[in-house]
Amino acid sequence: RVDTRALAVLLSRRATAAADQTRLAAQRLVRQAVEYRHPFDFDLDLTLPHVVFPETVVPAAFPDAAVLVCSGGQLVAKSTVQPEQAGDGLYDRCHVTWTGVGARTCQGRDDWANPATGDHVLLVTDAETVIDVSAARNNMAYTQLVIKQSV
């Protein structure tokens, strides 16, 4: 028998550690992007998987056992890069949107695939980050880095 509360605590700790590592990597990347202009153009669209944790691994004995469903959602990232000889006041932009992230509990093994069933434990409908880096690195009259984030 799996203790779902202990599993949720473990997942929360792992997610916090992963978020900290991602934040540090993003800080290093942004710091380097501000210091040197090496823009890269990308367009990324990922649908992340669902991970299902059963309350028990013996389905025949407990057909109505609860499951915890963690959804990675959809991650969309796109960049807009200015030309090499861009004028002052122009910015390279990175736009990241993460939708459909959440965790929910469902009663019974057959209900987990339907997103309308179950009780939501965590639901983030939309998280958006926009990073603007000035194309004019040597002109301090313009803001060099602008980060906008919304959840």
Side-chain angles (χ1 to χ4, degrees):
R1 182 172 173 104
V2 176
D3 184 3
T4 56
R5 281 181 271 167
L7 181 61
V9 168
L10 176 65
L11 288 174
S12 174
R13 288 181 182 163
R14 295 276 172 110
T16 302
D20 287 343
Q21 289 176 348
T22 303
R23 181 182 51 81
L24 291 174
Q27 284 177 347
R28 284 192 299 272
L29 179 67
V30 167
R31 188 177 309 116
Q32 184 176 5
V34 168
E35 292 174 3
Y36 308 101
R37 184 164 192 246
H38 300 293
F40 53 96
D41 195 13
F42 61 89
D43 190 357
L44 181 69
D45 190 348
L46 295 174
T47 300
L48 303 171
H50 296 285
V51 180
V52 180
F53 298 98
E55 184 178 21
T56 179
V57 293
V58 186
F62 303 99
D64 292 332
V67 294
L68 176 67
V69 181
C70 298
S71 175
Q74 184 174 16
L75 180 68
V76 177
K78 183 171 177 57
S79 68
T80 304
V81 177
Q82 298 299 331
E84 191 64 37
Q85 301 300 323
D88 292 341
L90 295 177
Y91 290 87
D92 296 328
R93 173 170 280 184
C94 174
H95 187 225
V96 180
T97 305
W98 198 3
T99 58
V101 178
R104 60 189 167 86
T105 59
C106 296
Q107 192 66 32
R109 293 177 177 267
D110 296 332
D111 292 340
W112 74 266
N114 184 357
T117 61
D119 297 320
H120 288 280
V121 178
L122 170 71
L123 180 61
V124 179
T125 56
D126 190 14
E128 184 175 19
T129 302
V130 178
I131 302 172
D132 291 330
V133 181
S134 176
R137 297 293 195 275
N138 297 326
N139 189 344
M140 291 300 140
Y142 297 97
T143 304
Q144 293 296 303
L145 177 67
V146 178
I147 300 176
K148 300 173 192 169
Q149 188 168 13
S150 64
V151 177

